[in-house]
Amino acid sequence: MRYAIQAEGLVKRYGETRALDGVDLLVPQGRLLGVLGPNGAGKTTAVRILATLLRPDGGTASVGGFDVARQAHQVRSLIGLTGQYAGVDETLTGVENLVMIGRLLELSRADARARAAELLERFELTHAGGRAAKTYSGGMRRRLDLAASLVGRPQVLFLDEPTTGLDPRSRTELWSVVRDLMADGVTVLLTTQYLEEADQLADDIVVFDHGRVIASGTSDELKATTGAQVLEVRPLRPDHLDLVVQVVADVIAEVPTVTGGKAVASVRDPAVVPAIVRRLDDLGVVASELSLRKSSLDEVFLALTGHPAEDRQADAKEEVFA
Ligand SMILES: Nc1ncnc2c1ncn2[C@@H]1O[C@H](COP(=O)(O)OP(=O)(O)O)[C@@H](O)[C@H]1O
Ligand SMILES: [Mg+2]
């Protein structure tokens, strides 16, 4: 298999902080790798190294077979980057932004204009193409930024938290654009703090925490790592909740949490379900909901790290979104 992105043992230090502490990554051509991690985990640092914007203190990486340190020029000709710091010029119009990039990439004026029009159309920005980017909504800006990263038809695209700060509708729109790109065979490395986003888009996921990869695999594999499924039991009669909690606790030998009128517990052995059903039946308790589901990525993250995914704001520099 050919790998579009390969990294081995990447290290980056800022004083005492190890932004990256020996990171390995492998992305096969045409696949989307989701890099999932809380603020400050090292996602942007990894992207900046792979995009040749930052030199690692240790380790090696290649993109499209070119070494990011020694063959930065070749790497740059293959990649597109959409950063958290949006790359669009606020004072220029949508069209002007894209044409300018096309010209920087040495397209003829006519080709640059044609490419700009094509991209604006694709991102449903044609109507706004003549307006200054500063008048755009957050979702429109993010789409323009993504369009800008595609002017040079990159084979490998880095999307650094492309949907952070977007409303749910803009987020779903962006997801569909990313899916289109994947259908075109573009290799994508997408960073995100949203477990759902990685779940939706990524073929493979690596989980970053404190500059290290703490888990990797497909979404299903990650969900299976914790070995647990989640049992949820809701009694038809709310006043039966205590009984339900007692029965579940007896059967799984662990007290379930109570949330939204139901008992919720992590279980390893699905055979507990019939046992719970029998016990409830004996007690005359009717369940309006009784389900066993795979743990969510949120729950997986918690199980892997011992803290929720949103927990690590403290030492991360607050990033400003345009
Ligand atoms: N230029 C910098 N100077 C000092 N520390 C930095 C710099 N860039 C990043 N860091 C630190 O490195 C760590 C990883 O940051 P970053 O890669 O931006 O994480 P993420 O993108 O996952 O939020 C954080 O602790 C951050 O504060
Ligand atoms: Mg970041």
Side-chain angles (χ1 to χ4, degrees), residues 232-242 244-245 257-264 286-289:
E232 299 185 322
V233 190
R234 181 199 301 279
L236 186 62
R237 286 176 44 184
D239 60 321
H240 278 166
L241 188 56
D242 283 350
V244 165
V245 167
T257 45
V258 172
T259 164
K262 45 188 177 178
V264 180
V286 179
S288 64
E289 181 189 336

Side-chain angles (χ1 to χ4, degrees), residues 129-195:
R131 267 166 41 202
K134 63 174 170 240
T135 68
Y136 286 19
S137 69
M140 289 164 73
R141 258 182 236 211
R142 217 59 77 83
R143 297 209 301 276
L144 181 62
D145 191 40
L146 188 50
S149 69
L150 295 178
V151 173
R153 300 180 196 279
Q155 295 171 27
V156 178
L157 189 62
F158 296 100
L159 302 175
D160 193 12
E161 296 197 25
T163 66
T164 296
L166 289 189
D167 58 87
R169 198 175 66 97
S170 307
R171 182 175 298 172
T172 330
E173 279 171 16
L174 214 116
W175 287 353
S176 98
V177 173
V178 173
R179 289 198 183 95
D180 286 350
L181 289 170
M182 288 158 68
D184 288 351
V186 176
T187 305
V188 182
L189 187 153
L190 175 143
T191 76
T192 183
Q193 300 191 37
Y194 303 110
L195 306 142

Side-chain angles (χ1 to χ4, degrees), residues 51-75:
T52 78
L53 300 173
L54 192 65
R55 286 215 168 224
D57 297 318
T60 56
S62 68
V63 173
F66 297 109
D67 187 276
V68 295
R70 284 180 289 106
Q71 297 169 298
H73 187 73
Q74 287 94 323
V75 170

Side-chain angles (χ1 to χ4, degrees), residues 26-318:
L26 274 183
V27 191
Q29 213 166 18
R31 305 263 285 186
L32 186 146
L33 177 75
V35 174
L36 178 67
N39 239 335
K43 304 180 298 296
T44 297
T45 304
V47 165
R48 289 175 58 83
I49 289 172
L50 294 170
T52 78
L53 300 173
L54 192 65
R55 286 215 168 224
D57 297 318
T60 56
S62 68
V63 173
F66 297 109
D67 187 276
V68 295
R70 284 180 289 106
Q71 297 169 298
H73 187 73
Q74 287 94 323
V75 170
R76 280 177 204 158
S77 72
L78 295 177
I79 64 170
L81 168 65
T82 299
Q84 279 178 287
Y85 308 95
V88 302
D89 185 326
E90 301 264 288
T91 60
L92 299 182
T93 67
V95 172
E96 286 165 350
N97 264 292
L98 298 183
V99 169
M100 180 184 73
I101 291 163
R103 297 291 284 158
L104 287 173
L105 292 169
E106 298 176 352
L107 296 183
S108 71
R109 192 171 298 276
D111 286 348
R113 289 207 151 270
R115 184 78 179 131
E118 181 190 329
L119 286 165
L120 288 171
E121 170 87 41
R122 176 166 184 181
F123 289 87
E124 292 172 26
L125 288 170
T126 306
H127 65 286
R131 267 166 41 202
K134 63 174 170 240
T135 68
Y136 286 19
S137 69
M140 289 164 73
R141 258 182 236 211
R142 217 59 77 83
R143 297 209 301 276
L144 181 62
D145 191 40
L146 188 50
S149 69
L150 295 178
V151 173
R153 300 180 196 279
Q155 295 171 27
V156 178
L157 189 62
F158 296 100
L159 302 175
D160 193 12
E161 296 197 25
T163 66
T164 296
L166 289 189
D167 58 87
R169 198 175 66 97
S170 307
R171 182 175 298 172
T172 330
E173 279 171 16
L174 214 116
W175 287 353
S176 98
V177 173
V178 173
R179 289 198 183 95
D180 286 350
L181 289 170
M182 288 158 68
D184 288 351
V186 176
T187 305
V188 182
L189 187 153
L190 175 143
T191 76
T192 183
Q193 300 191 37
Y194 303 110
L195 306 142
E196 187 199 356
E197 184 156 285
D199 208 3
Q200 285 274 334
L201 295 175
D203 300 308
D204 296 297
I205 299 171
V206 296
V207 183
F208 272 32
D209 198 35
H210 299 269
R212 289 171 172 274
V213 174
I214 57 161
S216 61
T218 63
S219 162
D220 279 345
E221 283 165 355
L222 285 179
K223 288 174 186 170
T225 357
T226 54
Q229 290 179 296
V230 179
L231 171 78
E232 299 185 322
V233 190
R234 181 199 301 279
L236 186 62
R237 286 176 44 184
D239 60 321
H240 278 166
L241 188 56
D242 283 350
L243 279 173
V244 165
V245 167
Q246 222 169 53
V247 165
V248 173
D250 281 353
V251 174
I252 70 169
E254 204 177 303
V255 181
T257 45
V258 172
T259 164
K262 45 188 177 178
V264 180
S266 224
V267 298
R268 263 153 229 288
D269 179 9
V272 298
V273 174
I276 288 168
V277 171
R278 272 196 303 273
R279 294 280 300 273
L280 290 176
D281 197 35
D282 288 347
L283 293 167
V285 173
V286 179
S288 64
E289 181 189 336
L290 196 152
S291 63
L292 198 60
R293 59 168 174 81
K294 277 186 199 160
S295 6
S296 73
L297 273 174
D298 266 313
E299 290 153 342
V300 171
F301 194 90
L302 184 61
L304 288 169
T305 64
H307 60 78
E310 291 76 18
D311 212 19
R312 195 166 170 255
Q313 309 276 355
D315 60 347
K317 287 185 311 179
E318 208 32 65

